[in-house]
Amino acid sequence: MSEFPVDLKKFKKLTLDPSKPKLTAEQKSTLQANIQLLRDAIVLFTATGAARGVSGHTGGAYDTVPEVCILLGLFENSDKFLPIVFDEAGHRVATQYILAALDGSIPAEHLLHYREANSKLPGHPELGLTPGIKFSSGRLGHMWPLVNGVALANREKTVFCLGSDGSQQEGNDAEAARLAVAQNLNVKLLIDDNDVTIAGHPSEYLKGYDVTKTLEGHGMKVITVQGEDIDALWGAVSSIVNHEGPAAVVCKRVMAPGIPDIEGSSHGHDVIPVKSAVKYLEARGYSNFVSIYDDIKPHNSPYLHIGSSKEIGANRIVFGEAVNGVLDKLGKEEAAKKVMVIDSDLEGSTGLKVIHQKHPEVFIPSGIMERGNFCAAAGFGFAPDKFGVFSTFSAFLEMVISEITMARLNNCNVLCHFSHSGVDRMLTFPQADNTCHFGVNSMFADNGLTDVHSFLYFPADPAQMVAIVNRVFFERGLRFIFSTRSKVPWILKEDGKTRFFEGDYQFVPGKDEVIVEGTAGYVVSFGEMLYRSWDAVLRCRQEGLNVGLINKPCLNVVDEQTIMKIGQSPFVLVVESFNQKTGLGSKFGTWLLERQLTPKYGYMGTTKEGCGGLWEQIPYQNLDPQSIISKIKQLTQ
């Protein structure tokens, strides 16, 4: 293991007394030295994520170091402060890892394995996984409500939570603010207001949004300061600590101050490029560290799949291109009247950016407000001849279940695209994210009663994505289309040359598709697991085991003809990356039994918290082709 180039032993413990709002010269000097030390360390080890191709946000963690150092000084001063640096923005996980290294829970050298598979340093902090981690951040904007509960359980202590102008856009925080004020909770927020989120600048795409005014409107005491002014920052923190009840310091700053290549830009939200990190660290006087990056190489899966193309495509981006193809057939005025596409700060990740660029007349840029944005899409589609389009990550589908019901009750027309489904290469911007960003409970969208149907579609490759969008775009009601973060190959016919979903292929909603017939039994799969299942089936057939394969692109509709066929075969195996408890496999066995069909039955899905990394998540969940083959052979015994 390489030696960590930034000597964290130089970090000096500091005691800060909130009854003394003015720093001494020595305190200020020590604080500034500590801030610079930790910022250098964060730049250095987060850049290893860029080197290994797993990314990893640098700017947010770098930004909030002054607040973190001040909190550590308060914790040293008194036990009346709960010594946990809660953080609403899980992507600032580098903060938690540097704290774990400072307290000796992990060696500093281990930080150089940032976001590497099986390193236990994933893209969000996960309690119980990484030594020294004291909480799981969950998804953006979910921490403050939980911190309120911590404060209720520890009324004799002051509880702190780092926030951001991004996380404060979530509706959860508005509810948390009201409870904190109503109960006069001793919760103190330190909010990094850098005017940068994934899609750009809130001041541009969410005009009128003001963190300070919002919190003051809820009745909180709020002090707004320049976050890089250490004297002003400490004065504000000491003031809210001495205030009885909830209070916040809003820290205005440009993102990544002092890093020339990314300062003030949305690029600072992601990982710092290696070249920029080297430039910064060399200017800071560090040497003999570049070899660390040179020795790190992206590690791709060595497995070569059969039955699919070498070329790969990003279904999440193809979705937007397919929507453009539909809109291209309309005039600009007609499109604007008929269609509305709303973003939740993820347009580059979920495929909406190409729509924004080509058809701005239908596009609404919006903030990190999934519930409200979904409802807006539904409201636009309230009239029979209008259609809303909504998109975000599949993990966030769980946040809009009630809103989906509301839209269904009102017969609204909404086409929903949930990208980053399953667990494969689970990245967000991208980053080697882990369990909290798994999109594995997508079947929750099928929460209507039997007499009102909503269709859940999961195309297997880019060609099928285009076919599905073209077919269902202007259908009435709620339609859900899923895609993965990972790119997928094109499915090939048994000849190994012809693309299955091109040529004369026509997508039929509710119809299962026979990839290949079999006599020994059938595998049923969909989405990004289809090409893996196809590989497994082909290898079984090479060994003389005549296994068939069914693609089920419409997840929540029973194809009576197909289920009768496969249900009379020796076995049925459902293979998916959804949660094994809630996915297709949890339903399919019931569908078989309801029809008095009793083949041997098995289903494979995601069963455990993630291992970090990228492609490694699939074999870790035992969903790789060799695991599928083993299950097939088990069912044929």
Side-chain angles (χ1 to χ4, degrees), residues 19 122 143 239 314 352 390 501 516 589 622:
S19 68
M143 199 73 238
S239 178
L352 300 189
F390 170 82
F501 301 113
V516 68
N622 297 313

Side-chain angles (χ1 to χ4, degrees), residues 172-333:
N172 279 7
D173 277 1
E175 296 179 15
R178 289 194 287 271
L179 178 63
V181 170
Q183 294 298 318
N184 200 37
L185 300 180
N186 214 14
V187 172
K188 314 298 179 183
L189 292 148
L190 304 179
I191 298 173
D192 179 32
D193 190 357
N194 56 29
D195 195 33
V196 170
T197 58
I198 292 176
H201 305 285
S203 60
E204 296 175 2
Y205 68 72
L206 203 61
K207 293 184 183 300
Y209 171 58
D210 186 297
V211 176
T212 298
K213 290 180 179 178
T214 298
L215 294 176
E216 286 178 337
H218 287 301
M220 289 184 64
K221 175 183 175 66
V222 184
I223 301 175
T224 302
V225 298
Q226 294 300 315
E228 296 303 294
D229 183 337
I230 300 304
D231 290 305
L233 179 60
W234 167 242
V237 172
S238 61
S239 178
I240 67 166
V241 168
N242 289 318
H243 172 77
E244 183 181 346
V249 175
V250 175
C251 305
K252 296 281 190 178
R253 57 164 62 89
V254 296
M255 174 163 265
I259 307 180
D261 289 356
I262 61 174
E263 180 178 297
S265 77
S266 58
H267 298 295
H269 184 83
D270 195 14
V271 71
I272 185 170
V274 170
K275 288 183 179 180
S276 299
V278 170
K279 177 181 175 181
Y280 167 86
L281 291 166
E282 286 181 342
R284 290 279 309 126
Y286 292 93
S287 59
N288 301 321
F289 67 91
V290 178
S291 62
I292 291 173
Y293 303 127
D294 293 337
D295 292 341
I296 297 172
K297 305 297 180 186
H299 180 46
N300 295 317
S301 172
Y303 194 90
L304 298 177
H305 294 87
I306 60 175
S308 55
S309 67
K310 292 182 180 179
E311 301 81 15
I312 55 177
N315 265 5
R316 61 194 174 95
I317 305 301
V318 173
F319 170 82
E321 295 169 347
V323 170
N324 276 345
V326 173
L327 296 175
D328 288 345
K329 299 172 184 177
L330 307 176
K332 297 288 186 182
E333 185 176 344

Side-chain angles (χ1 to χ4, degrees), residues 545-577:
L545 193 57
N546 191 24
V547 180
L549 177 63
I550 302 295
N551 178 38
K552 190 167 183 59
C554 189
L555 305 181
N556 62 331
V557 177
V558 178
D559 180 339
E560 296 293 347
Q561 181 179 355
T562 300
I563 200 169
M564 291 302 295
K565 178 210 301 254
I566 66 177
Q568 295 175 61
S569 72
F571 79 83
V572 173
L573 172 63
V574 175
V575 179
E576 61 186 316
S577 62

Side-chain angles (χ1 to χ4, degrees), residues 399-622:
M399 297 164 58
V400 297
I401 298 301
S402 181
E403 288 74 12
I404 288 172
T405 297
M406 181 68 172
R408 186 178 288 112
L409 291 172
N410 282 284
N411 300 318
C412 296
N413 301 321
V414 189
L415 178 65
C416 305
H417 174 221
F418 289 100
S419 69
H420 295 59
S421 294
V423 301
D424 190 18
R425 298 183 71 87
M426 189 43 60
L427 301 135
T428 56
F429 190 55
Q431 62 191 51
D433 272 332
N434 214 38
T435 312
C436 78
H437 271 220
F438 281 0
V440 295
N441 289 315
S442 298
M443 298 293 281
F444 285 5
D446 187 30
N447 63 349
L449 299 176
T450 305
D451 60 346
V452 179
H453 213 80
S454 304
F455 289 91
L456 277 60
Y457 303 110
F458 203 145
D461 70 13
Q464 189 167 51
M465 171 64 85
V466 173
I468 290 176
V469 171
N470 286 338
R471 176 63 177 78
V472 309
F473 190 90
F474 285 122
E475 287 190 350
R476 293 289 314 278
L478 304 184
R479 291 134 296 136
F480 301 87
I481 298 179
F482 300 98
S483 67
T484 55
R485 192 279 161 193
S486 61
K487 294 181 178 181
V488 292
W490 278 258
I491 301 298
L492 302 179
K493 294 183 179 179
E494 205 168 2
D495 62 10
K497 298 177 182 178
T498 310
R499 292 182 176 182
F500 197 96
F501 301 113
E502 293 186 349
D504 59 358
Y505 170 76
Q506 294 288 323
F507 174 73
V508 179
K511 181 67 177 173
D512 295 347
E513 298 164 344
V514 179
I515 304 300
V516 68
E517 299 278 6
T519 57
Y522 282 89
V523 174
V524 178
S525 193
F526 57 86
E528 88 288 15
M529 293 309 299
L530 186 69
Y531 78 87
R532 295 180 169 95
S533 297
W534 191 206
D535 176 281
V537 165
L538 286 171
R539 293 184 193 276
C540 286
R541 293 169 73 89
Q542 289 172 357
E543 295 179 13
L545 193 57
N546 191 24
V547 180
L549 177 63
I550 302 295
N551 178 38
K552 190 167 183 59
C554 189
L555 305 181
N556 62 331
V557 177
V558 178
D559 180 339
E560 296 293 347
Q561 181 179 355
T562 300
I563 200 169
M564 291 302 295
K565 178 210 301 254
I566 66 177
Q568 295 175 61
S569 72
F571 79 83
V572 173
L573 172 63
V574 175
V575 179
E576 61 186 316
S577 62
F578 285 170
N579 184 348
Q580 195 178 56
K581 288 185 176 181
T582 65
L584 174 65
S586 68
K587 298 174 178 288
F588 207 92
T590 300
W591 294 342
L592 288 166
L593 289 175
E594 286 174 342
R595 291 158 180 80
Q596 289 78 50
L597 300 171
T598 56
K600 286 186 178 180
Y601 181 67
Y603 60 104
M604 304 172 68
T606 295
T607 59
K608 52 190 175 182
E609 294 189 359
C611 66
L614 302 176
W615 60 268
E616 293 92 345
Q617 298 278 14
I618 290 292
Y620 181 74
Q621 298 290 345
N622 297 313

Side-chain angles (χ1 to χ4, degrees), residues 335-385:
K337 288 181 178 179
K338 196 169 187 177
V339 177
M340 186 270 281
V341 178
I342 191 165
D343 175 49
S344 297
D345 189 50
L346 292 172
E347 62 177 83
S349 297
T350 66
L352 300 189
K353 187 173 183 178
V354 294
I355 303 173
H356 190 180
Q357 293 170 336
K358 193 172 185 181
H359 287 281
E361 71 277 5
V362 307
F363 192 83
I364 302 292
S366 188
I368 309 166
M369 308 177 299
E370 294 84 2
R371 300 170 186 85
N373 291 341
F374 176 88
C375 288
F380 186 90
F382 181 69
D385 60 343

